[in-house]
Amino acid sequence: MIKAYAALEAGGKLQPFEYDPGPLGRHEVEIDVESCGICHSDLSMIDNEWGRSQYPLVPGHEVIGSIAQVGEAVTRLKVGQRVGLGWHSGYCMNCPSCMEGDHNLCASAQGSIVGRHGGFANKVRAEAPSVVPLPQQLDSQSAGPLFCGGITVFNPLVQFDIPPTAKAAVIGIGGLGHLALQFLNAWGCEVTAFTSSEAKKTEALKLGAHRTLDSRDKREIKASAGSFDLILSTVNVKLDWNAYMATLKPRGRLHFVGATLEPLDIGVFSLIGGQRSVSGSPVGSPANIARMLEFAARHNIQPMTEIFRFDQVNEAIERLKSGQARYRIVLSR
């Protein structure tokens, strides 16, 4: 039996929960969970904000642990190996996206907490291709958020061939944004942080920003017209997107990794006149997760974390909901 914490209904508190996972699949591995990050996506699934939650629901898709068992067809991973698991727990391995290495775009990809139980547990199972070995230099207690937040902000750098000479900006310095600043700085970019928080300005500079701009000051934003090759938006609220579009250089890109639920209101002439782009992306393929982990290890990129015990899961969730966490919350044994 696997011992876990589950929401039994939409918006419910997490409760101790046990389930029998059945026989291990030929292509599956079982992971002894050491730590697991808590992401806003976990909250959305607990509350059924996206209309696809199934209860009991065991959240947790930023898992770090060691391989406890491997299926008979698994050869790449070994018992005892330290690994991580992110948003996806399996792929069809047959569609054009999978065959081209874009597993994260697989229409049949299995979410680690969508239709299956996640990592708020002592063990979790996943298809072997979705499980990525963890570099020795990365700390088990803080590495979990790299498997969702980290790859989410790293993936666009690879997908769009962002050069190290690019001038890049980040909107929102939180769970995603604080990692984006670190990755962009290590990538070689000139980095600007848009933030409305005075307290976060100094922190943003320490994390890798070369300068900050007050996102509430229309004059500052207007004065930055034509400045950026890339803007990463990590927020989930509606902003004046046309004002941000105006800060892009010709051929610049406004890229969304934060899931704002309101439709984008963007004037088409800004796109046409400057040949600018608006785009978005989800997490990343296992290959790009591995590249991201190697890059993070080489450049000492680490999520800033607050640590809770697994039996403090409801406290940890309330801390995340408060918006006061700096910047990712991790459950650890």
Side-chain angles (χ1 to χ4, degrees), residues 114-321:
V114 182
R116 59 192 302 153
H117 294 314
F120 289 7
N122 64 334
K123 297 178 184 292
V124 68
R125 288 184 177 180
E127 298 288 327
S130 62
V131 176
V132 182
L134 193 69
Q136 184 177 358
Q137 304 96 309
L138 295 180
D139 173 60
S140 295
Q141 209 172 51
S142 63
L146 292 173
F147 280 80
C148 184
I151 186 58
T152 295
V153 297
F154 180 86
N155 196 49
L157 305 184
V158 176
Q159 298 301 321
F160 301 115
D161 295 319
I162 303 301
T165 54
K167 293 186 177 181
V170 178
I171 303 173
I173 312 308
L176 291 173
H178 91 286
L179 288 168
L181 295 178
Q182 295 181 68
F183 276 115
L184 286 166
N185 181 287
W187 201 256
C189 298
E190 179 184 295
V191 187
T192 298
F194 282 105
T195 179
S196 61
S197 168
E198 285 294 328
K200 288 185 179 180
K201 287 185 176 181
T202 301
E203 202 159 51
L205 294 172
K206 292 179 180 178
L207 287 165
H210 297 100
R211 65 169 181 154
T212 65
L213 291 174
D214 189 339
S215 57
R216 298 167 301 183
D217 191 329
K218 294 181 180 179
R219 291 173 301 179
E220 280 197 19
I221 294 177
K222 189 174 182 179
S224 298
S227 295
F228 305 116
D229 300 290
L230 171 71
I231 299 176
L232 285 181
S233 174
T234 70
V235 299
N236 60 359
V237 295
K238 182 179 176 63
L239 298 176
D240 183 353
W241 302 118
N242 288 299
Y244 286 100
M245 288 295 295
T247 69
L248 289 172
K249 293 180 181 180
R251 295 193 178 89
R253 178 181 298 274
L254 173 60
H255 188 79
F256 289 88
V257 292
T260 176
L261 298 180
E262 296 188 49
L264 302 180
D265 180 13
I266 294 176
V268 71
F269 285 108
S270 177
L271 298 176
I272 294 173
Q275 205 170 311
R276 299 179 177 95
S277 302
V278 177
S279 54
S281 63
V283 288
S285 68
N288 276 341
I289 292 173
R291 291 187 186 100
M292 178 270 303
L293 294 172
E294 182 183 354
F295 188 84
R298 186 183 306 154
H299 294 281
N300 195 30
I301 293 171
Q302 295 183 4
M304 293 176 63
T305 58
E306 296 182 6
I307 308 298
F308 288 77
R309 300 189 310 271
F310 274 80
D311 62 5
Q312 295 175 304
V313 61
N314 287 306
E315 283 180 56
I317 287 172
E318 290 305 314
R319 176 66 174 168
L320 181 58
K321 287 180 177 179

Side-chain angles (χ1 to χ4, degrees), residues 7 9-12 41-51 53 55 57 317 321:
E9 59 184 1
S41 299
D42 291 309
L43 304 187
S44 295
M45 287 296 293
I46 291 170
D47 295 341
N48 198 23
E49 287 181 1
W50 301 332
S53 301
Y55 302 91
L57 185 144
I317 287 172
K321 287 180 177 179

